[in-house]
Amino acid sequence: MTIEAFDVVDLIRAKRDRNVLSMEQINWLIDAYTRGYVADEQMAAMTMAIFLNGMERREIRDLTLAMIASGETMDFSALSKRTTDKHSTGGVGDKITLPLAPLVASFGVAVPQLSGRGLGHTGGTLDKLESIPGWRASLSNAEFFEQLESVGAVISAAGSGLAPADGKLYALRDITGTVEAIPLIASSIMSKKIAEGTSALVLDVKFGSGAFLKDIEQSRELARTMVALGEDAGVATSALLTNMNVPLGLAIGNANEVRESVEVLAGGGPSDVRALTVALAREMLSLAGIVDVDVEGALDDGRAMDTWRAMIIAQGGDPDAALPAPRETQVVTAGRSGVLVEQQALPFGVAAWRLGAGRARKQDPVQHAAGIDLHAKPGDIVTEGQPLFTLSTDEPERFARALEALEAAYRIGQAGDEILTGGPLIVERIGS
Amino acid sequence: MTIEAFDVVDLIRAKRDRNVLSMEQINWLIDAYTRGYVADEQMAAMTMAIFLNGMERREIRDLTLAMIASGETMDFSALSKRTTDKHSTGGVGDKITLPLAPLVASFGVAVPQLSGRGLGHTGGTLDKLESIPGWRASLSNAEFFEQLESVGAVISAAGSGLAPADGKLYALRDITGTVEAIPLIASSIMSKKIAEGTSALVLDVKFGSGAFLKDIEQSRELARTMVALGEDAGVATSALLTNMNVPLGLAIGNANEVRESVEVLAGGGPSDVRALTVALAREMLSLAGIVDVDVEGALDDGRAMDTWRAMIIAQGGDPDAALPAPRETQVVTAGRSGVLVEQQALPFGVAAWRLGAGRARKQDPVQHAAGIDLHAKPGDIVTEGQPLFTLSTDEPERFARALEALEAAYRIGQAGDEILTGGPLIVERIGS
């Protein structure tokens, strides 16, 4: 690719003045930034200008393609199976990837799930799985392909070779207040997913207090933007817009989320976790051309569980080993009898993070046994003194700040009060 | 001053989301940036957010005060004279400081003119004066005060101790496309001028093709913002809004601008240069409490010239020495007879810069003899073959690109055609 030279200050000014950047300008910008020719402070001014002035669909597509071109791409065309993948924008108690990947793979498709670690109040799939003794996130390319062929499901760490421009740009956005810009979120997620080479992709785009984007309209716009990017790149893409005002399931943490996932794989588990897993599995299978199959049956008859066990074993894990237990727990009980009318996702996510389940900085470790187990969900009738939730940590000095986060996070009302869940779990499907 | 700690990302987000920053937040930001605790990329995102979302008058005042507090301030209270200063936002052929400082000082007030060097198409006062053999821009504090007391006028380089935060921030804005933001321009100019300790200040705020801000409305807003900042800081401040669509005077360069300034000091010179010098001198004297004096008389009877000579000699210069002459000149003549109806400031400034009179980077030298001498001004009747302007440089390979800049820069029309000067020279006075 021949790249014309531009003056980065001219490009910043153009976006600052609400002009549209050409494909050549965007290609040059991303290439020059990746090589270090455009400085971080120049890219920071550009991303703030993009945040405030936006980008057209064509610019977002060109930005996504330029980030893909900054690194390697994967190619699954040699596999005997079709590939189908899922991405969630992240939430509190969102362990859906764990039951979902083996469930979908149990229907004979390949699920190449490259996942990340958690940062802040949202958990990371790899952090959760690493609470399984022996399990390892890093696979060689050969191991990755071999496991996709034999087991069908792989959940592993993304290599740094995919869309390196995105890695550099995301780290910059994180410290410059430009994370929540739809063109930048969409191109960041989709550049990695398209570079991964999947032929189908389902997006779980969350809205609400525990989500990345609080506002449903913004989440809808993000979902539409990403579905369009996928379609432009030849990836069959759809999105579910899902509610993240309340924690998903009853477990928030790492080991406890694995435990809950295994319950779902055994045909049980909390109804919301099961429902979202099934809905996303149907979408993933449908985009891979598999319809009219009994998705729930695969949870109930052990097929999904068999694939889970094979997946964990293939990555060195022992699916029967005891999961780490916390050194200390503290139970919070109901102060009165009534109905639990509110349980806000964000403060529960922050509390689990403060207990040690999450990290503030990329390089920090997490505590696998830290987190929160909920004993009641909004709408449940509770009796004074009944346990509402249990906090777990290895460091009891963490309880105080976790409880602080939870002070106004839940409320017991009376029968007949409105249950504040912010609407149904799955609001809308976006895609063709 | 005790400074609360803030999270810079919170402050960037606040400005990004159109919130107002508190005085404590602004103080912390500027202090932390000056110390290197806030990174350049974070400040770049902040300045772009300020560019696009603006600042309230109170925020601009706090930003200005925070930049003043980042360094030293000067104090002229020990002087036996009142101080009065002038700042121009810069333009093509703007040598007004040269005749103005000695003219005003000849009335017994002190003019402590801390000036800069040129960058891009606008010239720098120090570059012009350095074409005088022996003259030096750098003075010790003691020399500066002594010259103010004895001669009254000093034009010297500003030390780096005044408002260092502004120096750092300006360099960042220059490479991140955030130069032309009114809150940032106003606080940059006024932080240095207030730190300099003058008790009165006249601002020459230019608009038009050769000015920093092209649009008269933006220039008016900048002037009003700066006058308010000066008044808030207890500095008697006013501004003249002046037209920079046409080069000022007949000389654009360095040595030739000194020559033209000396003509004005001798009672002659181009009428526009004389008129603007006199108007600014009246403002400066009036703010210093001196009214009903014969300003034009001081140009005509040699008083201003005496002060000029004393000022040049005090700084090591020889006012009688021959000024540098260019190695090569090229004369451009009228292609037809008619009336010169247009002469655009910006391309003439760019051409002079390309001839070597200006610099692209701070560290570059300038050619003292390079530049352009105009032989006709808009409205003048010209005859085919008559010289229109002369280009000068030490490096004849520079002629071609200079002439390129001038291709559409001037036009000969017919008697009765509109003369395109963009209106009168002095449009408006702003101040109480």
Side-chain angles (χ1 to χ4, degrees):
Chain A
M1 175 167 57
T2 311
I3 291 183
E4 269 184 70
F6 292 96
D7 179 342
V8 66
V9 179
D10 290 343
L11 303 195
I12 298 169
R13 284 187 172 139
K15 185 44 71 184
R16 180 195 81 185
D17 297 339
R18 299 183 169 275
N19 294 314
V20 174
L21 299 180
S22 70
M23 185 181 75
E24 290 74 21
Q25 289 173 328
I26 290 171
N27 284 344
W28 178 86
L29 177 71
I30 295 301
D31 181 71
Y33 181 57
T34 309
R35 292 170 194 267
Y37 177 70
V38 163
D40 277 335
E41 54 268 33
Q42 295 173 316
M43 202 59 172
M46 176 63 94
T47 53
M48 183 57 83
I50 292 171
F51 191 107
L52 291 170
N53 290 340
M55 273 187 147
E56 290 188 355
R57 177 171 163 173
R58 202 225 78 240
E59 290 177 287
I60 302 174
R61 188 191 63 211
D62 290 339
L63 177 60
T64 306
L65 295 176
M67 293 207 291
I68 294 168
S70 74
E72 304 158 11
T73 53
M74 295 177 79
D75 180 2
F76 296 120
S77 59
L79 275 184
S80 68
K81 304 171 178 182
R82 306 177 78 153
T83 51
T84 188
D85 198 2
K86 167 253 183 186
H87 179 84
S88 161
T89 60
V92 176
D94 183 6
K95 71 281 296 174
I96 302 294
T97 297
L98 277 59
L100 179 64
L103 171 60
V104 172
S106 73
F107 288 90
V109 292
V111 184
Q113 187 79 47
L114 296 182
S115 294
R117 291 173 203 282
L119 196 64
H121 76 275
T122 58
T125 297
L126 301 182
D127 294 324
K128 302 181 210 289
L129 283 167
E130 280 174 343
S131 58
I132 300 173
W135 188 86
R136 63 190 168 89
S138 289
L139 299 180
S140 70
N141 271 356
E143 290 171 326
F144 189 91
F145 274 75
E146 153 49 25
Q147 186 175 331
L148 267 189
E149 195 66 70
S150 59
V151 179
V154 184
I155 303 175
S156 81
S160 58
L162 297 173
D166 172 64
K168 192 173 174 184
L169 191 54
Y170 188 87
L172 180 72
R173 287 164 55 208
D174 193 40
I175 61 164
T176 58
T178 52
V179 166
E180 302 90 343
I182 286 172
L184 298 174
I185 301 170
S187 57
S188 172
I189 292 172
M190 295 304 289
S191 65
K192 279 178 295 189
K193 286 291 166 186
I194 296 168
E196 276 171 30
T198 187
S199 52
L201 176 63
V202 176
L203 299 159
D204 180 2
V205 181
K206 299 195 179 294
F207 66 91
S209 84
F212 197 46
L213 295 175
K214 313 299 175 210
D215 175 54
I216 190 168
E217 271 314 315
Q218 281 210 292
S219 295
R220 186 176 281 124
E221 194 194 328
L222 176 63
R224 286 184 179 150
T225 303
M226 292 197 292
V227 168
L229 284 173
E231 284 170 356
D232 284 350
V235 178
T237 309
S238 68
L240 298 184
L241 205 56
T242 70
N243 185 338
M244 187 24 78
N245 284 297
V246 174
L248 199 52
L250 294 165
I252 309 163
N254 295 301
N256 60 347
E257 293 201 34
V258 171
R259 204 173 289 120
E260 187 169 278
S261 301
V262 171
E263 288 167 21
V264 171
L265 287 160
S271 61
D272 57 348
V273 179
R274 179 173 163 117
L276 187 53
T277 302
V278 167
L280 288 166
R282 286 211 177 99
E283 275 297 316
M284 288 171 75
L285 289 166
S286 155
L287 292 183
I290 299 173
V291 289
D292 297 329
V293 286
D294 184 7
V295 175
E296 302 214 44
L299 289 174
D300 297 332
D301 67 12
R303 276 178 287 156
M305 181 67 95
D306 290 345
T307 306
W308 161 264
R309 293 177 61 85
M311 176 181 86
I312 296 301
I313 291 166
Q315 292 179 239
D318 177 357
D320 299 313
L323 293 169
R327 292 212 194 114
E328 306 274 347
T329 60
Q330 188 166 326
V331 178
V332 174
T333 57
R336 48 174 287 203
S337 296
V339 175
L340 187 65
V341 292
E342 194 171 13
Q343 187 179 58
Q344 297 166 28
L346 181 60
F348 277 93
V350 170
W353 171 24
R354 289 182 178 177
L355 289 166
R359 55 169 71 79
R361 293 170 311 166
K362 251 183 169 175
Q363 62 272 27
D364 293 346
V366 299
Q367 293 180 23
H368 288 118
I372 302 175
D373 288 286
L374 305 172
H375 309 303
K377 292 280 276 183
D380 287 357
I381 292 166
V382 297
T383 314
E384 188 181 336
Q386 168 191 330
L388 285 183
F389 51 88
T390 301
L391 310 183
S392 302
T393 182
D394 293 335
E395 296 164 344
E397 65 275 18
R398 290 175 174 264
F399 283 128
R401 289 208 65 222
L403 287 167
E404 222 174 78
L406 294 170
E407 261 164 25
Y410 60 96
R411 200 159 52 80
I412 298 172
Q414 294 169 358
D417 284 359
E418 192 190 354
I419 310 299
L420 301 167
T421 56
L425 178 61
I426 301 173
V427 171
E428 190 176 329
R429 178 186 183 279
I430 291 162
S432 50
Chain B
M1 174 167 59
T2 311
I3 289 184
E4 268 186 70
F6 293 97
D7 179 340
V8 65
V9 179
D10 290 343
L11 303 196
I12 297 169
R13 283 188 172 138
K15 185 44 71 184
R16 180 195 80 185
D17 297 340
R18 301 183 167 275
N19 295 314
V20 173
L21 299 180
S22 71
M23 186 181 75
E24 291 73 21
Q25 290 174 327
I26 290 171
N27 284 345
W28 178 86
L29 178 71
I30 295 302
D31 182 70
Y33 180 56
T34 310
R35 291 171 195 267
Y37 177 70
V38 163
D40 277 335
E41 53 269 34
Q42 296 174 316
M43 202 60 172
M46 176 63 94
T47 53
M48 183 57 83
I50 292 171
F51 190 106
L52 291 170
N53 290 341
M55 274 186 148
E56 290 187 356
R57 177 171 164 172
R58 202 225 79 240
E59 290 176 286
I60 302 173
R61 188 191 63 209
D62 290 340
L63 177 60
T64 307
L65 294 176
M67 294 208 290
I68 294 170
S70 73
E72 304 158 11
T73 52
M74 295 177 78
D75 180 1
F76 295 120
S77 59
L79 274 184
S80 69
K81 304 171 178 181
R82 306 178 78 154
T83 50
T84 188
D85 198 1
K86 167 254 184 185
H87 179 84
S88 163
T89 60
V92 176
D94 182 6
K95 72 282 294 174
I96 301 295
T97 297
L98 277 60
L100 180 64
L103 170 61
V104 172
S106 74
F107 287 90
V109 294
V111 184
Q113 187 79 49
L114 296 182
S115 294
R117 290 173 204 284
L119 196 64
H121 76 275
T122 58
T125 296
L126 302 182
D127 294 324
K128 301 181 211 287
L129 282 167
E130 281 173 342
S131 58
I132 300 173
W135 187 87
R136 62 191 169 89
S138 289
L139 299 180
S140 71
N141 272 355
E143 289 171 326
F144 190 90
F145 274 73
E146 152 51 24
Q147 185 175 333
L148 268 188
E149 194 66 70
S150 59
V151 179
V154 184
I155 303 175
S156 81
S160 59
L162 296 173
D166 172 63
K168 193 173 173 183
L169 191 56
Y170 189 87
L172 179 72
R173 287 164 54 208
D174 192 40
I175 61 164
T176 59
T178 52
V179 166
E180 302 89 343
I182 286 173
L184 299 174
I185 301 171
S187 57
S188 172
I189 292 172
M190 294 304 290
S191 65
K192 280 177 295 188
K193 286 291 165 187
I194 296 168
E196 277 171 29
T198 186
S199 53
L201 176 64
V202 176
L203 299 159
D204 180 1
V205 180
K206 299 193 179 293
F207 66 91
S209 83
F212 195 46
L213 295 175
K214 314 298 175 209
D215 175 53
I216 190 168
E217 272 313 316
Q218 282 209 293
S219 296
R220 185 177 281 124
E221 194 193 329
L222 176 63
R224 285 183 180 152
T225 304
M226 291 197 293
V227 168
L229 284 173
E231 283 170 355
D232 284 350
V235 178
T237 308
S238 68
L240 298 185
L241 205 57
T242 70
N243 185 339
M244 187 24 77
N245 284 298
V246 173
L248 199 52
L250 295 166
I252 309 164
N254 294 301
N256 59 346
E257 294 202 32
V258 172
R259 204 172 290 120
E260 187 169 277
S261 301
V262 171
E263 287 168 20
V264 171
L265 287 160
S271 60
D272 57 349
V273 178
R274 178 173 164 117
L276 186 53
T277 303
V278 167
L280 288 166
R282 286 210 176 99
E283 276 297 318
M284 288 171 74
L285 289 166
S286 154
L287 293 182
I290 300 174
V291 288
D292 297 327
V293 287
D294 183 8
V295 174
E296 301 213 43
L299 289 175
D300 297 332
D301 68 12
R303 275 177 289 157
M305 181 68 95
D306 289 346
T307 306
W308 160 264
R309 293 177 61 87
M311 175 181 86
I312 297 302
I313 290 166
Q315 291 180 239
D318 177 356
D320 299 314
L323 293 169
R327 292 211 194 115
E328 306 274 345
T329 59
Q330 187 165 329
V331 178
V332 174
T333 56
R336 48 174 286 205
S337 295
V339 175
L340 187 64
V341 292
E342 193 171 13
Q343 186 178 59
Q344 296 167 28
L346 181 60
F348 277 93
V350 169
W353 172 23
R354 289 182 177 176
L355 289 166
R359 56 169 70 78
R361 294 171 310 166
K362 251 184 170 173
Q363 62 273 26
D364 293 345
V366 299
Q367 293 180 23
H368 288 118
I372 302 175
D373 289 286
L374 305 171
H375 308 304
K377 292 280 275 183
D380 287 359
I381 292 166
V382 297
T383 313
E384 187 180 338
Q386 167 190 332
L388 285 182
F389 51 87
T390 301
L391 310 183
S392 301
T393 182
D394 293 336
E395 297 164 344
E397 64 275 20
R398 290 175 174 264
F399 284 128
R401 289 208 63 222
L403 287 167
E404 222 174 79
L406 294 170
E407 262 165 25
Y410 60 96
R411 200 158 53 79
I412 298 171
Q414 296 170 357
D417 284 359
E418 193 190 354
I419 309 300
L420 302 167
T421 56
L425 177 62
I426 301 173
V427 170
E428 190 176 330
R429 179 186 182 278
I430 291 162
S432 50

